[in-house]
C-alpha cells in the first residue's frame, strides 16, 4: 500500500509497509553479501548502538506549554565520536532517525573521516513556530541531549529545517551547562562562533565536485549540460548556483510548493534572490510551472534529488531520463528504483558519497575548533575537492571490481572499514 503526502520540502510517496530503516538495512545486506561479512559483524553493524527518545516541554509565545518528541540515535561509536545533523520536521520518526544515523556511519567511512554516524530529529512543523519558540525548543532539546553529546562523544550539525542559528543556540546551551565555551560540540555554526569558512556551501559544493568526477568518467561536457534540481534549500539551491557557475544550464528547480522550468536555462542568481525575497519560487518570471515529480522525469543530463527521502521509486524510475543522478538528499531512491536505474545505465552517485561534502567540511570545522586555528576558504575547498576526488575513484574501482552499482560499491568500502575497526577493537569486556 502506498500513499502520497505533501510535506515541507517536497511531495513524496511513502511506502507505508516499509520504513526508511528497513531500506537502510536492505542496502546494507546487499553489500554485506558481496563482502561475505561474518554474522556477528552483520548483527552489530545493522543495529544502532544508542537510541535516545525524549519528550520535553516548550514555552510557546501565547503562554501555553507544548510537549514535543525528539530523538538522537548513534549508530556506530567505534571509529570515533559520532556525527550527524538534527532535523526539525513533522514526519520525523525514530525509524527515520535510525536510518539516517546508519547512513552517516557509511558516509563518514566513504570519505575516510574518523567518525561514527548519528542523527537527531524533533517531530515539529518548524515553519509554524516563531523564532523565539524555535530557540526555546532547541535549547530544551539540547539540555535533554546533554548526557550523550559533546565534542569527543557526539557532534550535531544542521539538517532539514535547522541552520547556523540553531547550532549557535545548541552550542550556547551546551557551553552554559558545562561552564565554558565549547565550539567543538557542534558544526555548521556561524563563522563568528568558530564555524568554518565554506561550511554553509559545502554540501552543495561537494555535490558539484562529485558530478564533475562522474562527468569526466562518462565524457559528458558540463559546459551547456542540462540540470534539474529537486529541492531549493542549503543543498539543492547552492548546488544549482555552483553548477551554473561552471557553465551548466539549470533548466528546472523546485521547492516544497512546486517548481519552475525554462528549457533555455534559469538564471540561478535571480532565482535565489527571488526565493529569498518572496519565500517561494512560484511566480518567477521567464519560467513555466512544473511539479517536483514531473521535474524528476525531465529530459536532462543531470538530475539532483536534493529534498527528502523516497523521491525516486519503482513507479517513476522507468521514466527518469538523466545520464547522471547525484543524490543531494539522504535516501531519495528506493532499492527497487536503484535496480531500474542501474539497468538503464544511469550513473547514480549515491547519497553517502554525493552529499558527503557537508560532513567532510564539518570535520574540518571540528578540527579547526579543537585546534583553535581557522583555515581559509580556499584551503577548505581544496581539501574538500581532494577528498571527493579520491573517494570517487575508490568507489568506482570497488564497484567495477565487484560488478555492482556505485551505491553498493561505496557501501562495500564503508562497511569493510567500519567492520575492521569493530573487529580490531574486539568485544568488551
Ligand atoms: N546533515 C548533514 C548530512 O546529512 C551534515 C551532517 C554533519 O555535518 O554532521 O550529511
Amino acid at each position: 500500500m502506498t500513499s502520497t503526502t505533501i510535506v515541507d520540502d517536497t511531495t513524496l510517496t511513502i511506502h507505508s509497509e516499509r520504513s526508511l530503516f528497513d531500506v537502510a538495512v536492505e542496502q546494507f545486506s546487499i553489500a554485506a553479501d558481496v563482502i561475505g561479512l561474518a554474522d556477528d559483524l552483520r548483527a552489530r553493524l545493522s543495529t544502532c548502538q544508542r537510541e535516545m527518545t525524549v519528550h520535553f516541554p516548550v514555552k510557546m509565545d501565547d503562554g501555553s506549554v507544548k510537549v514535543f518528541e525528539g530523538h538522537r540515535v548513534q549508530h556506530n561509536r567505534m571509529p570515533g565520536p559520532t556525527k550527524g545533523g538534527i532535523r526539525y520536521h513533522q514526519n520525523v520518526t525514530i525509524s527515520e532517525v535510525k536510518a539516517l544515523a546508519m547512513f552517516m556511519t557509511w558516509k563518514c567511512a566513504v570519505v575516510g573521516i574518523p567518525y561514527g554516524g548519528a542523527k537527531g530529529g524533533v517531530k515539529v512543523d518548524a515553519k509554524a513556530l516563531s523564532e523565539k519558540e524555535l530557540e526555546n525548543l532547541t535549547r530544551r532539546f539540547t539540555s535533554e541531549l546533554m548526557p550523550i553529546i559533546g565534542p569527543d562523544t557526539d557532534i550535531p550539525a544542521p539538517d532539514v529545517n535547522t541552520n547556523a542559528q540553531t547550532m549557535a543556540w545548541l552550542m550556547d546551551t551546551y557551553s552554559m551547562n558545562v561552564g565554558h565555551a565549547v565550539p567543538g560540540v557542534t558544526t555548521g555554526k556561524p563563522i563568528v562562533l568558530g564555524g568554518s569558512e565554506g561550511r554553509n556551501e559545502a554540501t552543495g559544493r561537494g555535490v558539484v565536485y562529485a558530478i564533475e568526477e562522474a562527468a569526466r568518467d562518462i565524457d559528458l561536457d558540463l559546459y551547456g549540460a542540462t540540470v534539474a534540481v529537486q529541492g531549493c534549500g542549503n543543498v539543492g539551491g547552492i548546488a544549482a548556483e555552483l553548477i551554473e557557475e561552471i557553465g551548466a544550464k539549470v533548466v528546472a528547480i523546485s521547492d516544497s510548493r512546486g517548481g519552475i522550468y525554462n528549457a533555455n536555462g534559469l538564471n540561478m542568481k535571480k532565482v535565489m534572490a527571488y526565493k529569498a525575497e518572496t519565500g517561494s519560487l512560484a511566480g518567477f518570471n521567464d519560467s513555466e510551472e512544473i511539479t517536483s515529480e514531473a521535474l524528476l522525469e525531465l529530459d536532462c543530463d543531470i538530475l539532483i534529488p536534493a529534498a527528502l527521502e523516497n523521491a525516486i521509486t519503482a513507479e517513476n524510475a522507468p521514466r527518469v531520463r538523466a545520464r547522471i543522478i547525484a543524490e543531494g538528499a539522504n535516501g531519495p531512491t528506493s532499492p527497487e528504483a536503484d535496480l531500474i536505474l542501474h539497468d538503464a545505465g544511469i550513473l547514480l552517485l549515491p547519497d553517502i558519497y554525493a552529499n558527503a561534502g557537508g560532513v567532510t567540511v564539518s570535520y574540518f570545522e571540528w578540527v579547526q575548533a579543537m585546534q583553535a586555528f581557522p583555515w581559509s576558504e580556499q584551503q577548505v575547498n581544496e581539501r574538500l575537492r581532494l577528498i571527493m576526488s579520491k573517494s570517487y575513484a575508490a568507489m568506482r574501482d570497488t564497484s567495477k571490481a565487484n560488478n555492482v552499482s556505485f551505491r553498493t560499491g561505496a557501501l562495500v568500502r564503508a562497511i569493510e572499514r567500519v567492520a575492521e575497526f569493530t573487529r580490531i577493537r574486539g568485544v568488551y569486556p
Side-chain angles (χ1 to χ4, degrees), residues 83-85 104 107 119 155 157-159 187 199 330 355 358-359 362:
K83 188 84 191 80
M104 286 307 302
K107 197 183 295 186
K119 201 76 173 199
I155 307 146
D159 199 80
T187 58
R199 173 62 186 88
N330 292 312
N355 72 39
V359 76
S362 274

Side-chain angles (χ1 to χ4, degrees), residues 72 82-87 100 103-104 107-108 113 115-116 118-119 155-160 162 186-188 199 203 234-235 328-330 351 355-363 365:
R72 183 79 184 166
T82 47
K83 188 84 191 80
I86 291 180
R87 65 172 54 178
L100 295 167
F103 292 155
M104 286 307 302
K107 197 183 295 186
C108 293
I113 60 178
Y115 292 138
K119 201 76 173 199
I155 307 146
D159 199 80
V160 174
T162 55
T186 173
T187 58
R199 173 62 186 88
T203 313
N234 183 254
V235 184
N330 292 312
D351 46 8
N355 72 39
V359 76
T360 300
V361 177
S362 274
Y363 168 60
E365 178 173 333

Side-chain angles (χ1 to χ4, degrees), residues 50-344:
R50 249 189 202 168
E51 297 164 29
M52 185 176 184
T53 293
V54 292
H55 296 94
F56 56 98
V58 176
K59 276 192 200 128
M60 309 304 282
D61 291 346
D62 64 3
S64 67
V65 171
K66 273 200 184 147
V67 174
F68 291 89
E69 180 177 278
H71 315 277
R72 183 79 184 166
V73 174
Q74 298 166 353
H75 168 253
N76 190 290
R77 307 177 67 230
M78 289 292 127
T82 47
K83 188 84 191 80
I86 291 180
R87 65 172 54 178
Y88 292 166
H89 198 282
Q90 57 272 32
N91 291 350
V92 161
T93 61
I94 182 76
S95 154
E96 180 196 36
V97 177
K98 280 166 61 182
L100 295 167
M102 189 192 274
F103 292 155
M104 286 307 302
T105 299
W106 312 140
K107 197 183 295 186
C108 293
V110 164
V111 286
I113 60 178
Y115 292 138
K119 201 76 173 199
V122 177
K123 188 173 168 59
V124 57
D125 178 3
K127 289 177 185 160
L129 263 55
S130 71
E131 181 86 352
K132 183 68 198 148
E133 289 168 338
L134 281 173
E135 178 175 354
N136 291 349
L137 179 133
T138 303
R139 288 186 180 281
R140 181 59 192 249
F141 184 49
T142 304
S143 300
E144 299 288 339
L145 298 184
M146 282 299 293
I148 61 162
I149 59 169
D152 299 315
T153 45
D154 183 12
I155 307 146
D159 199 80
V160 174
N161 292 331
T162 55
N163 56 26
Q165 178 61 71
T166 323
M167 294 306 117
W169 293 324
L170 187 151
M171 180 264 185
D172 183 65
T173 305
Y174 185 90
S175 301
M176 294 311 290
N177 271 277
V178 298
H180 57 93
V182 186
V185 68
T186 173
T187 58
K189 299 176 294 291
I191 290 178
V192 64
L193 293 186
S196 178
E197 296 286 350
R199 173 62 186 88
N200 187 49
E201 299 78 21
T203 313
R205 176 165 282 125
V207 168
V208 174
Y209 287 170
I211 292 168
E212 288 184 280
E213 297 293 329
R216 202 172 306 125
D217 238 4
I218 62 167
D219 283 329
L220 172 68
D221 186 0
L222 287 179
Y223 192 84
T226 52
V227 187
V229 188
Q230 186 191 54
C232 191
N234 183 254
V235 184
I238 290 174
E241 279 189 289
L242 293 176
I243 204 156
E244 184 185 78
E245 270 175 28
I246 58 171
K249 227 166 43 176
V250 179
V251 293
I253 188 159
S254 65
D255 66 11
S256 55
R257 272 156 286 194
I260 52 176
Y261 169 74
N262 181 334
N264 298 317
L266 299 156
N267 178 326
M268 277 313 302
K269 282 216 163 35
K270 285 190 183 159
V271 170
M272 295 308 277
Y274 181 83
K275 165 118 174 134
E277 198 186 307
T278 66
S280 130
L281 296 168
F284 181 75
N285 58 23
D286 242 3
S287 69
E288 294 164 33
E289 278 181 27
I290 186 168
T291 65
S292 69
E293 297 81 35
L295 177 150
L296 298 171
E297 299 172 17
L298 282 174
D299 189 5
C300 59
D301 296 310
I302 297 157
L303 174 63
I304 308 179
L308 287 173
E309 45 261 30
N310 223 10
I312 308 177
T313 64
E315 197 277 314
N316 60 1
R319 296 190 298 277
V320 169
R321 286 183 282 171
R323 291 183 67 192
I324 295 175
I325 300 178
E327 294 185 330
N330 292 312
T333 312
S334 76
E336 297 75 22
D338 265 343
L339 292 176
I340 296 168
L341 300 170
H342 188 65
D343 286 349

Side-chain angles (χ1 to χ4, degrees), residues 25-41:
V25 172
E26 221 172 296
Q27 292 174 349
F28 166 83
S29 302
I30 294 170
D33 286 345
V34 173
I35 300 167
L37 193 68
D39 284 350
D40 61 326
L41 286 167

